[in-house]
Amino acid sequence: MATPAFTNWHKSNHSDDAGCVEVAEADGLIGVRDSKDPGGPILTFNRHEWTAFTAGITDGTLTPEG
């Protein structure tokens, strides 16, 4: 599957100089990248996966430690 042409990247409100995350949407998919490496890899989610991912962060079931 080809990577969609993500444009119009938005930096997270929770990002700082040490850890910047950007998101964009294209072709019904959500892309996430490190703003310090815009040419680097993009983590891609469909709408269902994105909803589950953000819910896991919000409710604490998905943490950096585990």
Side-chain angles (χ1 to χ4, degrees):
M1 180 171 117
T3 301
F6 291 109
T7 58
N8 201 20
W9 289 94
H10 300 278
K11 187 188 282 192
S12 169
N13 292 334
H14 299 285
S15 293
D16 58 24
D17 291 336
C20 302
V21 174
E22 294 178 316
V23 297
E25 187 171 358
D27 300 329
L29 298 173
I30 294 91
V32 180
R33 72 178 183 185
D34 180 348
S35 65
K36 295 180 299 301
D37 186 14
I42 298 171
L43 184 60
T44 305
F45 297 89
N46 66 34
R47 179 61 58 191
H48 177 75
E49 293 166 335
W50 180 249
T51 299
F53 176 72
T54 56
I57 292 170
T58 301
D59 69 17
T61 59
L62 182 60
T63 65
E65 294 81 30

